[in-house]
């Protein structure tokens, strides 16, 4: 992918993360670079995100894949990859498929304690995708509430059963469409 690619990936992801990402790609006979058009973001936790493209190394046929790399900092709050997988396991399969971005492989640990998540692109496009960190602080609560309402409505329309936690306390009430509490 050339010298230019060697310089620009560390500029966005950092030297450690880009080196680990490249090594992981090389172990699969692939090369990785920033995707065009460029898409980068910084999350509320300080995580750095960037769209990348991964291609087979010659002479293998080119099968480019585009995904988002999320460089999760070592912040002591637990591993985001493990939390992501746990959430996917708890949701009903069709709900998770519709509303959770899937991970491409397992999280990749970083020497400094953080991790890389390789996330598939939800809706197959980043054109209308914005991380919460890009919203003004005053707008984040309104945006999160709108997303929560949409997800809750879909969740409630999906099933009529009720799930209970370990001590018999309802965790999430699933109701039929149009039900009001």
């Amino acid at each position: 992918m050339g010298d230019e690619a060697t310089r620009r990936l560390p500029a966005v992801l950092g030297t450690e993360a880009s080196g680990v990402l490249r090594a992981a790609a090389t172990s699969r006979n692939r090369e990785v670079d920033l995707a065009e058009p460029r898409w980068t973001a910084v999350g509320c936790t300080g995580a750095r995100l960037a769209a990348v493209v991964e291609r087979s190394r010659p002479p293998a046929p080119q099968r480019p894949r585009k995904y988002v790399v999320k460089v999760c900092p070592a912040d002591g709050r637990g591993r985001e990859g493990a939390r992501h997988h746990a959430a996917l396991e708890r949701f009903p399969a069709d709900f998770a498929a519709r509303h959770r971005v899937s991970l491409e492989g397992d999280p990749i640990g970083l020497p400094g304690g953080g991790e890389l998540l390789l996330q598939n692109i939800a809706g197959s496009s980043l054109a209308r995708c914005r991380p919460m960190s890009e919203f003004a602080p005053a707008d984040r609560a309104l945006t999160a509430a709108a997303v929560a309402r949409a997800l809750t409505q879909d969740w409630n329309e999906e099933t009529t059963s009720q799930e209970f936690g370990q001590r018999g306390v309802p965790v999430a009430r699933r109701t039929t469409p149009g039900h009001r509490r």
Side-chain angles (χ1 to χ4, degrees), residues 83-104:
R83 292 190 314 265
H84 189 91
H85 280 290
L88 287 173
E89 291 167 2
R90 285 192 304 263
F91 291 142
D94 355 339
F95 185 86
R98 286 192 312 273
H99 299 295
R100 293 290 301 191
V101 65
S102 62
L103 297 180
E104 184 68 32

Side-chain angles (χ1 to χ4, degrees), residues 7-125:
R7 288 189 298 272
R8 62 186 179 179
L9 198 58
V12 172
L13 298 179
T15 305
E16 179 184 68
S18 63
V20 169
L21 179 63
R22 283 215 166 94
T26 299
S27 73
R28 296 185 315 276
N29 194 43
R30 302 190 56 88
E31 298 174 321
V32 66
D33 189 15
L34 291 176
E36 295 297 337
R38 190 172 289 195
W39 184 92
T40 61
V42 176
C44 292
T45 64
R48 295 182 312 277
L49 297 93
V52 298
V53 64
E54 198 179 73
R55 294 182 178 85
S56 301
R57 289 176 172 256
Q62 290 297 307
R63 293 186 187 101
R65 289 189 346 217
K66 191 174 180 181
Y67 52 87
V68 172
V69 174
K70 184 172 187 179
V71 183
C72 301
D75 62 4
R77 291 187 299 150
R79 301 294 244 187
E80 185 168 338
R83 292 190 314 265
H84 189 91
H85 280 290
L88 287 173
E89 291 167 2
R90 285 192 304 263
F91 291 142
D94 355 339
F95 185 86
R98 286 192 312 273
H99 299 295
R100 293 290 301 191
V101 65
S102 62
L103 297 180
E104 184 68 32
D106 291 328
I108 302 168
L110 295 172
E115 64 184 351
L116 297 178
L117 299 181
L118 310 180
Q119 300 176 326
N120 289 307
I121 297 171
S124 60
S125 173

